[in-house]
């Protein structure tokens, strides 16, 4: 197995200069290029957290596959959850080009050491949650991830292009679920509004801490991994939601929300950052359940990994003998 140490390319005299030039000229850094160790580490951190988020993110929606209200809804939801598995796999592959193995990343996740997005530690008690996740969570994911298509690291940026295309379908399917509910009975409208109330604030927190408390942003922006700050993206997201909420007929649960003409930005109520950090510490409503399910799935899938490895070994032996 290749480890990070094996991949680190010894630094030559002009390497830092060449790296800086590539970044300055909007060129891409590729796996075989020399890169500063901190750049490699930052990418492994962000891409693996992102991959883990997609894989853990299958669970809140997976919860509704058996209970979707029609065959068509079930087929759509299954396809969406499968897309998320695919996103996880592209991202793990992108991280592997930096010299970390899949096994290492999986161990970090199931041991509870790795972070994944705070948003996936909230429960999904009603069907309307499928709508709210698509509209708000995938909506936030798109705002955050479209700029990542231009990330300076080639394999990450390229993976993001396909992911964003799929996320934009996901967002529309969530919007459509909510629209259908909002055109239904009073009970269905109430269910949709309740889901929006529960997912709105956690979806704003997805963008990460405010800029003045975001330790990684300045360096990641200088390296052109991140293109916009956490607060800038949060602003864009709210700007996208406001007209859509109007079409849906739902109320965004922030009485302070208004466009501040003078400042040229949305004025919003305060996000509950204590809650955010509690979720990051593992104390959100579903952290333990999500990790436990992931561990069980990993253990139960051991025979599939063993069978695939054995099959690959046999094919290689046969090819050698031929
Ligand atoms: N949850 O200094 P910053 C999806 C951590 S995929 C947990 O601002 P950075 C698709 C952060 O890691 C959703 N931790 O960090 C889908 C750092 O800790 P560390 C995932 C968070 O990296 C939809 C510390 O706080 N998307 O939704 C969170 O510059 C529906 C300080 O923060 C991505 O991963 C959080 N929300 O900016 C699937 C996108 N926010 O590592 C299923 C790629 C911050 O130093 C269903 N990632 N932290 O120990 C990014 O763009 C960035 O990593 C940010 C954070 C913006 C998330």
């Amino acid at each position: 197995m290749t480890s990070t140490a094996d991949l680190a390319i010894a630094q030559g005299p002009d390497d830092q200069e060449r790296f800086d030039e590539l970044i300055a000229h909007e060129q891409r850094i590729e796996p075989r290029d020399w890169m500063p160790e901190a750049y490699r580490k930052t990418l492994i951190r962000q891409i693996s957290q992102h991959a883990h988020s997609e894989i853990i993110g299958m669970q809140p929606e997976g919860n509704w596959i058996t209970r979707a209200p029609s065959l068509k809804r079930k087929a759509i939801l299954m396809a969406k959850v499968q897309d998320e598995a695919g996103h996880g796999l592209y991202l793990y592959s992108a991280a592997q080009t930096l010299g970390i193995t899949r096994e290492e990343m999986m161990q970090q996740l199931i041991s509870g050491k790795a972070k994944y997005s705070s948003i996936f530690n909230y429960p999904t008690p009603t069907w309307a949650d499928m709508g709210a996740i698509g509209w708000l969570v995938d909506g936030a994911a798109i705002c955050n991830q479209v700029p990542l298509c231009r990330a300076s690291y080639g394999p990450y940026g390229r993976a993001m292009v396909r992911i964003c295309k799929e996320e934009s379908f996901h967002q529309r399917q969530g919007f459509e679920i909510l629209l259908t509910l909002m055109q239904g009975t009073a009970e269905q409208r109430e269910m949709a509004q309740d889901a929006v109330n529960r997912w709105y604030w956690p979806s704003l927190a997805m963008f990460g801490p405010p800029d003045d408390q975001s330790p990684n942003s300045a360096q990641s922006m200088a390296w052109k991994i991140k293109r916009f700050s956490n607060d800038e993206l949060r602003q864009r997201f709210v700007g996208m939601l406001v007209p859509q909420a109007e079409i849906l007929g739902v109320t965004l649960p922030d009485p302070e929300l208004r466009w501040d003409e003078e400042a040229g930005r949305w004025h919003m109520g305060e996000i509950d950052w204590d809650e955010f950090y509690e979720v990051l510490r593992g104390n959100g409503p579903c952290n333990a359940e999500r990790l436990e399910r992931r561990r069980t799935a990993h253990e139960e899938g051991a025979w599939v990994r063993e069978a695939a490895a054995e099959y690959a070994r046999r094919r290689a032996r046969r090819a050698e003998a031929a």
Side-chain angles (χ1 to χ4, degrees):
M1 283 293 157
T2 319
S3 74
T4 315
D6 296 332
L7 265 200
I9 297 166
Q11 185 176 5
D14 304 326
D15 285 340
Q16 180 73 50
E17 210 174 297
R18 186 179 129 75
F19 173 87
D20 293 342
E21 243 168 54
L22 287 174
I23 297 281
H25 291 95
E26 299 286 330
Q27 302 285 309
R28 285 209 143 137
I29 308 298
E30 296 296 340
R32 286 167 190 276
D33 291 335
W34 179 88
M35 61 187 83
E37 216 26 52
Y39 178 80
R40 183 191 301 280
K41 283 206 178 113
T42 288
L43 282 165
I44 290 178
R45 177 184 66 77
Q46 176 165 327
I47 301 173
S48 63
Q49 286 176 1
H50 193 167
H52 298 326
S53 304
E54 298 279 357
I55 297 299
I56 296 283
M58 295 166 74
Q59 291 186 32
E61 290 167 294
N63 182 31
W64 277 92
I65 290 176
T66 53
R67 292 177 289 153
S70 70
L71 185 58
K72 191 172 153 200
R73 295 278 184 210
K74 183 171 173 143
I76 295 170
L77 188 60
M78 277 175 72
K80 179 182 192 276
V81 173
Q82 281 176 357
D83 284 352
E84 281 146 15
H87 298 174
L89 299 189
Y90 316 147
L91 289 163
Y92 283 130
S93 299
Q96 281 173 269
T97 65
L98 292 154
I100 187 166
T101 65
R102 232 348 228 290
E103 289 77 3
E104 282 174 283
M105 288 185 274
M106 203 42 70
Q107 281 312 317
Q108 288 171 359
L109 176 62
I110 60 183
S111 68
K113 190 178 152 216
K115 286 198 174 79
Y116 58 85
S117 184
S118 49
I119 194 78
F120 301 117
N121 294 303
Y122 291 88
T124 46
T126 73
W127 171 251
D129 290 316
M130 300 304 97
I133 289 183
W135 182 46
L136 296 171
V137 178
D138 286 286
I142 294 169
C143 276
N144 166 263
Q145 291 173 21
V146 166
L148 290 175
C149 297
R150 293 191 293 120
S152 57
Y153 187 59
Y156 191 29
R158 289 189 287 273
M160 291 316 305
V161 172
R162 176 152 175 192
I163 292 177
C164 285
K165 284 190 183 149
E166 293 179 350
E167 300 288 26
S168 102
F169 157 74
H170 294 173
Q171 201 245 358
R172 272 176 274 171
Q173 69 84 38
F175 183 88
E176 195 267 341
I177 290 175
L178 289 180
L179 191 62
T180 306
L181 289 173
M182 289 305 290
Q183 289 167 350
T185 63
E187 209 181 347
Q188 286 171 320
R189 283 196 295 277
E190 203 179 300
M191 195 200 283
Q193 181 64 55
D194 171 64
V196 170
N197 292 350
R198 284 182 289 106
W199 289 93
Y200 177 74
W201 289 104
S203 73
L204 291 186
M206 270 176 82
F207 293 92
D211 292 351
D212 57 2
Q213 291 159 49
S214 162
N216 301 301
S217 277
Q219 183 59 77
S220 288
M221 286 174 75
W223 277 328
K224 298 185 180 165
I225 298 170
K226 282 170 94 161
R227 297 288 179 153
F228 298 97
S229 76
N230 299 355
D231 286 331
E232 280 169 339
L233 291 172
R234 216 176 336 261
Q235 282 281 325
R236 280 187 179 203
F237 177 54
V238 169
M240 184 187 91
L241 289 184
V242 167
Q244 294 182 1
E246 228 165 87
I247 296 168
L248 283 174
V250 295
T251 307
L252 296 175
D254 178 3
E256 288 186 42
L257 183 62
R258 64 181 165 80
W259 176 250
D260 181 339
E261 193 63 55
E262 217 168 280
R265 52 190 286 124
W266 294 95
H267 170 82
M268 318 175 190
E270 184 63 22
I271 294 171
D272 186 344
W273 292 112
D274 290 341
E275 175 180 315
F276 172 77
Y277 287 113
E278 268 307 295
V279 174
L280 261 56
R281 275 193 284 272
N283 302 325
C286 300
N287 293 59
E289 179 187 328
R290 300 285 185 248
L291 269 190
E292 188 46 43
R293 185 160 296 177
R294 185 63 240 150
R295 268 185 216 120
T296 308
H298 190 69
E299 280 161 22
E300 289 177 352
W303 70 272
V304 179
R305 292 189 295 279
E306 279 161 27
E310 182 54 27
Y311 179 68
R313 269 194 296 274
R314 280 191 199 181
R315 274 182 67 127
R317 270 204 299 270
R318 242 180 268 144
E320 247 172 53

